[in-house]
Amino acid sequence: MNLTSTPSPTDAADSSSTPSIRWLEWALVVLLFFLFVGPLTPEVNEPHYLSKARQYWNPAWCPDDHFLNSADAHGVFYWSFGWVTTMVSFPVAAWIGRFLCWGAIALAWQRMINKIDGRPWFGLLTIASGLMGIHYLHMAGEWLVGGVEAKCIAYAFAFWGIGDALSDRWNRAWIWLGVASAFHVLVGGWMVVCLMICWLVTPRLRPTLVSILPGVIVGGAISAIGVVPLLLLNLDASPAEKDWASYYYVYERLSHHLVVHTFQAEFKARFTFAILAWGVTAWLVRSHDKARILNGVVLGSVVLVVIGVVIDQMYFIVLQDWLTGAKLLRLYWYRIADVMVPLALAVNMVLWCHLNRERFPVISRGVLVGMGLLVVVGLAVRMTDRWTATASPADRSSLVSDPAAWETTCYWVRENTPPDAICLTPRLQSSFKWYAQRAEVVTTKDVPQDDLNLLEWRSRRGDVHWRSFHNEETLSLAGLTEADIRELADKYQVRYVIVDQALARKDGKVLDWTFPKIYPAGDDQTASYEVYEVTP
C-alpha cells in the first residue's frame, strides 16, 4: 500500500467538532499549561537561556561574563527570540516566550492528535494525562511544558511533523522535523531517528523510500542551520580536551540526565512500568493505523533508551572506558522517551476506551474516569506546590538560602555597581544575572557547550567554589581567604564579592577580610547576604 498515492489526505473524524470547540479546547490546553507551571519566574533554565539570548543581541550587556561569551549552541533560538529580551524585562520576556511556546505546543498537539481521533476533548484529555505522566513517571528529568527555551519550540515543530506523517504527508513531516532540529539539534534530531524507525516498522502504512527523499533532503538542509554550528564548536579542541570535557559534562555536571546507573531506583522503576504499560496499550490498539504510526515513533524513542543503557553498562562497567562512554552518553539518549512514552500511553488508553465503548462500556467508562481522577489529583498536587511557593523554581532548585533576601541583594547590586562589573557569586544560586544583570566569574548552572570553555568553566569552579570547600568545608565564599580573593581579583578582574552569610553562619564560618562591606549598611549581623568591594 503506497499512501503517497492518496490524492487528498483526510483526517480522522475531522468534522466531528466545530472550529469554536477546537479553539476552546486549545485555550483550555494553554490554561492547563499555565496552571501546571505556576505564576513565578524564573523557571529553572530561564536565566541560562534568556541571559544568553539577550547577550546574543546586545554584546555590551554583561560584556565580560565567561558563560555569555562562550559558543552559542542554540543560535536559531537566540536569533529568533533574543531580540525580545532587549526590549522588555526578563520576566516579561519569559511570559511572552512561555505563551508562545505553550500556544505552539497546544496547537501542534491538537492538530496531531486529531489525525488519530477527531472527537471533541480527545486532545485535552490526552495532553492532560500525558503531562501528568511526564511529570510523575519520567526517568531522566525531561519535561515538555515549563519555561521558555529552545527545546519547547522544537517539540512544537516535532508534533507538527508527526501530525503530517499521520496524514500521509511524509515529505512535510521530514521538513518540519528539520525545522525542529534547527532550533534544538537533539530534540529534532532524535525525533528524526524515531520517525525513521517508525517508517521501518510500519511497512503496510509507509510510503516508498524514493518518494520521501525530497522531504528528507530539504529537512536535512534546514536542520543544518542548527547542526553545522554545533559541529564547528570544538574545532580548536584537541582530542584529549574533547574527551575530558565530555567526561566532566556527563559524569560531573549532568549525570542526573545522562548516566542511567546514577538515576534513582524509584525513577528507573516507574519509567520501566510506563514503558511496559505503553507496550500493552500499543498492542491493544494495534489495529488502528494512525495509532500504529504514533506508537512506531514511540518505539523509536524506546530503542534509543535501550541503546543508552547498553552504552552506559558497556563502557562504565564492562570496558571501564569512561572517556569514550562519556562522549556517547552526551547525546541524551533518554530525552525523547521521557516525553513520548507517557504521552503515547495516555493516547492509547483513551483511544482504546473510545474504540471499545460499546463492547466494554463499564471498563471504558471506568478507565476514563480513573484517568480523569488521576489528572485532577496530580494537577492539584502540582498546583499546590507551584502556586503556594514563595520562591521561583530557579531559586528553589539551586537551594538559595533566603530567596527574598537574595532578590533584594541582587537588585541592590544592579542599582549600585557599574554595568561592566564582574562579581564572585554564591555557589547555591543560578539567577544572579537574571536579577542583578552583572557578570559572574562562574555559575554551576551555566555550563558552556563548547569544550574549551567547558574546561575553563570547570577550572573556574575549582578556583572559587571548590577552593572554598577545600579551605574550610563550606559552600559559602566565606571559606576563601583574603589572599584567595585578591588572587581571583587579579586573575578574573573581580570587583565585588557576594557572600551567603546565612550559609556561612550555618557552617560556623566567620569572615576575616579587610575589604569594605558595602551592603547592607551598618553592622547588621543577621543579613543573609553581604556584598564586599575588592579594594587595592
Side-chain angles (χ1 to χ4, degrees):
M1 178 180 181
N2 187 349
L3 296 179
T4 58
S5 63
T6 304
S8 57
T10 58
D11 301 335
D14 268 346
S15 60
S16 60
S17 61
T18 64
S20 60
I21 292 179
R22 294 286 173 85
W23 283 112
L24 176 59
E25 184 180 38
W26 173 83
L28 290 175
V29 172
V30 175
L31 176 62
L32 169 71
F33 294 166
F34 172 65
L35 296 176
F36 180 81
V37 172
L40 300 179
T41 61
E43 263 293 336
V44 174
N45 291 335
E46 283 177 332
H48 178 96
Y49 274 91
L50 294 188
S51 63
K52 200 84 164 67
R54 175 178 285 186
Q55 216 249 11
Y56 179 92
W57 281 86
N58 180 17
W61 183 76
C62 294
D64 298 314
D65 186 274
H66 173 251
F67 165 69
L68 297 184
N69 288 321
S70 65
D72 297 321
H74 302 100
V76 175
F77 171 76
Y78 301 143
W79 176 83
S80 61
F81 186 75
W83 59 273
V84 176
T85 65
T86 67
M87 302 177 66
V88 296
S89 67
F90 277 139
V92 173
W95 280 111
I96 292 173
R98 288 180 182 187
F99 279 112
L100 286 174
C101 289
W102 298 346
I105 290 173
L107 185 63
W109 174 263
Q110 187 181 47
R111 177 180 179 271
M112 180 185 82
I113 216 66
N114 282 338
K115 315 299 182 182
I116 298 175
D117 194 314
R119 293 178 179 89
W121 318 119
F122 186 85
L124 175 61
L125 179 55
T126 52
I127 192 63
S129 304
L131 189 62
M132 294 304 113
I134 294 169
H135 182 64
Y136 292 106
L137 298 176
H138 72 83
M139 179 177 70
E142 184 64 7
W143 51 268
L144 174 66
V145 176
V148 54
E149 60 176 81
K151 72 177 180 182
C152 303
I153 303 174
Y155 274 116
F157 281 114
F159 290 159
W160 198 273
I162 295 172
D164 275 327
L166 290 168
S167 294
D168 309 329
R169 303 184 181 102
W170 285 76
N171 278 304
R172 294 188 187 183
W174 301 118
I175 292 172
W176 287 119
L177 291 182
V179 177
S181 301
F183 274 93
H184 197 288
V185 172
L186 287 176
V187 169
W190 281 140
M191 281 293 192
V192 169
V193 174
C194 291
L195 189 59
M196 287 179 174
I197 293 175
C198 171
W199 183 87
L200 288 173
V201 299
T202 55
R204 185 174 62 84
L205 303 173
R206 71 189 183 202
T208 64
L209 177 60
V210 173
S211 69
I212 64 173
L213 282 180
V216 172
I217 293 172
V218 174
I222 294 174
S223 70
I225 299 172
V227 173
V228 172
L230 194 64
L231 295 176
L232 298 178
L233 285 182
N234 301 311
L235 288 181
D236 296 332
S238 68
E241 289 169 331
K242 294 177 182 178
D243 287 346
W244 284 107
S246 294
Y247 178 87
Y248 299 138
Y249 185 90
V250 170
Y251 289 111
E252 288 191 358
R253 176 62 185 87
L254 291 166
S255 61
H256 57 292
H257 291 311
L258 305 175
V259 186
V260 71
H261 71 262
T262 67
F263 295 170
Q264 295 181 36
E266 173 194 348
F267 285 19
K268 289 185 282 191
R270 71 189 189 185
F271 189 69
T272 300
F273 165 78
I275 290 179
L276 293 175
W278 162 77
V280 171
T281 59
W283 176 257
L284 291 175
V285 298
R286 65 190 183 279
S287 61
H288 194 287
D289 287 349
K290 303 298 184 182
R292 285 178 67 88
I293 293 176
L294 176 63
N295 286 311
V297 173
V298 179
L299 176 64
S301 73
V302 175
V303 170
L304 294 179
V305 169
V306 173
I307 294 173
V309 172
V310 170
I311 292 172
D312 175 271
Q313 298 298 296
M314 179 64 67
Y315 285 96
F316 189 83
I317 295 178
V318 179
L319 301 178
Q320 295 188 348
D321 183 0
W322 298 351
L323 293 181
T324 302
K327 288 190 292 186
L328 296 173
L329 291 176
R330 198 169 176 174
L331 297 177
Y332 287 83
W333 296 93
Y334 319 112
R335 164 161 279 172
I336 304 302
D338 255 10
V339 169
M340 294 304 294
V341 167
L343 288 175
L345 174 60
V347 171
N348 291 341
M349 291 178 67
V350 178
L351 180 62
W352 183 89
C353 292
H354 283 171
L355 294 176
N356 292 275
R357 64 189 182 280
E358 295 180 359
R359 185 181 180 189
F360 304 111
V362 176
I363 297 176
S364 298
R365 286 195 296 269
V367 171
L368 290 175
V369 170
M371 291 180 66
L373 289 175
L374 288 175
V375 169
V376 170
V377 172
L379 184 60
V381 172
R382 169 73 174 192
M383 287 179 61
T384 300
D385 175 65
R386 283 303 182 100
W387 287 78
T388 61
T390 57
S392 71
D395 289 338
R396 293 174 68 190
S397 69
S398 57
L399 306 178
V400 170
S401 299
D402 185 340
W406 171 244
E407 287 189 42
T408 301
T409 302
C410 290
Y411 291 141
W412 185 92
V413 171
R414 180 177 175 180
E415 297 296 327
N416 294 275
T417 62
D420 60 351
I422 302 176
C423 305
L424 280 182
T425 53
R427 162 69 175 81
L428 301 179
Q429 64 82 27
S430 62
S431 54
F432 182 74
K433 285 189 283 290
W434 181 277
Y435 298 126
Q437 300 193 21
R438 295 295 182 269
E440 303 171 84
V441 173
V442 65
T443 306
T444 300
K445 179 70 176 177
D446 291 342
V447 54
Q449 295 297 301
D450 60 302
D451 290 344
L452 292 180
N453 276 306
L454 191 151
L455 294 174
E456 169 67 15
W457 165 83
R458 187 177 186 273
S459 175
R460 288 171 177 246
R461 288 185 69 199
D463 284 347
V464 180
H465 303 134
W466 296 346
R467 180 185 297 186
S468 177
F469 188 82
H470 175 76
N471 284 352
E472 299 192 38
E473 295 187 355
T474 178
L475 294 177
S476 168
L477 296 183
L480 297 174
T481 66
E482 183 166 329
D484 292 334
I485 297 295
R486 293 196 180 280
E487 177 188 334
L488 294 171
D490 290 339
K491 188 173 183 179
Y492 300 120
Q493 291 73 56
V494 173
R495 185 169 175 185
Y496 301 97
V497 184
I498 296 88
V499 180
D500 185 340
Q501 281 289 39
L503 180 59
R505 287 193 293 269
K506 179 181 177 181
D507 292 339
K509 308 304 176 186
V510 179
L511 289 178
D512 57 359
W513 304 342
T514 62
F515 306 123
K517 183 183 72 174
I518 58 177
Y519 177 86
D523 296 325
D524 184 1
Q525 300 299 312
T526 64
S528 295
Y529 295 92
E530 294 179 347
V531 181
Y532 291 82
E533 183 175 8
V534 181
T535 55

